[in-house]
Amino acid sequence: MAEETLLYEGKAKKVFATSDPGVVRVLYKDDATAFNGEKRGTIAGKGAINNQMSNLLFRYLEEHGVPTHFVEEISERETLVRKVEIIPLEVVVRNIAAGSFSKRFGIEEGTPLERPLVEFYYKNDALGDPLVTDDHALILHLATADDLAELRRLALAVNDLLVRRFREAGLILVDFKLEFGRLPSGEIVLADEISPDTCRLWDERTREKLDKDRFRRDLGGVEEAYQEVWARLKGGVAR
Ligand code: UDP
């Protein structure tokens, strides 16, 4: 890799160009933010865990027929991924009430939902990533009707696969956020990351929170929770 051209710097990652115009290099940082950037901090070792955990899960999803941007892990914190045009929707899937869903609808955290719920949020920091209906997305030209159907189908397929994979590691997948991108061919693929930053994960037995809620809610043991999730997933031990 010759010159380093920084294409983008986000809250948790930097993206660099490579000699291949179809491939970019992602560098995962230890920086953490919450509440739309209002709360800031560092979670030691997070970058390496989020990178390797995302890659393990992307490989698993690919093996089960879900297309992703993943190309190759090049170090603990760095991965080559296919360059995509990110669709400006955050796709959230929920299995159990928590977070903004519990708050918005007054439903106690921990209440199981009768089926997985898919929500779309408009990716726009200035507006605080507002929840959007399908009609909002269509009228604001954030996606087409076909795109929305495809995003929903892929998100539900990812949910089924991840629920199973996390269960094998003794973890309950409460909810998570996905981002998708478009390849030059037009194909929609899973992008971004899947990590304790973007998933709510509870211990199957104790229901202890093992994710970014420990940072958001000042619960302590943040680093340990990320390490625990990674150790369990990597080990693949049934608990
Ligand atoms: N999430 C995320 N990035 C965001 C917003 C949400 O990764 O900008 C994840 C969050 O970690 C959780 C799920 O999406 O697993 C649902 O989040 P929720 O809408 O409950 O919002 P929060 O309570 O995190 O503000």
Side-chain angles (χ1 to χ4, degrees):
M1 240 164 291
E3 264 312 288
E4 301 252 292
T5 310
L6 179 66
L7 298 176
Y8 168 82
E9 177 158 10
K11 295 164 205 154
K13 296 191 276 297
K14 288 184 184 180
V15 180
F16 296 92
T18 70
S19 53
D20 180 342
V23 174
V24 295
R25 177 167 63 92
V26 180
L27 172 69
Y28 283 72
K29 306 188 283 184
D30 284 352
D31 300 346
T33 62
F35 312 119
N36 203 22
E38 266 171 52
K39 182 179 169 79
R40 288 165 187 279
T42 304
I43 301 174
K46 172 173 90 81
I49 289 176
N50 287 7
N51 179 48
Q52 296 172 89
M53 175 169 161
S54 291
N55 293 341
L56 179 148
L57 293 172
F58 281 148
R59 286 192 205 100
Y60 161 77
L61 292 169
E62 288 269 358
E63 279 163 20
H64 290 83
V66 176
T68 79
H69 70 166
F70 178 75
V71 176
E72 186 190 354
E73 185 170 295
I74 53 175
S75 79
E76 265 196 354
R77 287 175 183 271
E78 295 164 294
T79 294
L80 298 178
V81 302
R82 289 195 278 180
K83 188 171 184 176
V84 295
E85 192 187 319
I86 292 286
I87 295 169
L89 291 171
E90 296 196 343
V91 183
V92 168
V93 183
R94 301 179 187 274
N95 297 301
I96 294 175
S100 69
F101 178 87
S102 287
K103 204 168 162 203
R104 179 173 296 116
F105 299 110
I107 295 174
E108 196 188 345
E109 191 159 280
T111 308
L113 305 183
E114 65 179 50
R115 60 181 171 83
L117 168 67
V118 179
E119 296 174 336
F120 297 115
Y121 292 84
Y122 177 23
K123 248 176 89 67
N124 183 319
D125 282 341
L127 298 176
D129 296 344
L131 179 68
V132 291
T133 64
D134 284 27
D135 251 6
H136 288 142
L138 295 174
I139 286 171
L140 297 171
H141 297 289
L142 306 178
T144 66
D146 284 350
D147 293 340
L148 294 178
E150 179 68 353
L151 294 176
R152 188 171 274 112
R153 183 185 76 79
L154 288 170
L156 289 170
V158 169
N159 184 52
D160 281 351
L161 290 163
L162 290 184
V163 164
R164 251 195 275 160
R165 188 63 185 76
F166 282 117
R167 193 185 293 131
E168 283 170 14
L171 297 163
I172 300 171
L173 179 60
V174 174
D175 58 28
F176 59 97
K177 183 262 305 181
L178 300 175
E179 294 188 24
F180 292 88
R182 214 183 293 277
L183 293 174
S185 66
E187 188 191 3
I188 293 177
V189 299
L190 184 62
D192 194 44
E193 67 178 280
I194 304 175
S195 71
D197 273 8
T198 63
C199 300
R200 284 197 170 91
L201 296 164
W202 295 353
D203 179 84
E204 176 184 70
R205 279 179 296 116
T206 64
R207 293 174 82 86
E208 186 190 7
K209 295 182 196 329
L210 294 171
D211 56 58
K212 195 168 151 188
D213 271 347
R214 302 204 72 84
F215 170 77
R216 291 189 191 99
R217 303 179 189 188
D218 294 320
L219 300 175
V222 186
E223 279 88 2
E224 292 78 1
Y226 279 65
Q227 285 160 12
E228 177 68 21
V229 167
W230 176 229
R232 287 196 199 181
L233 262 189
K234 197 173 42 168
V237 268
R239 295 168 72 103

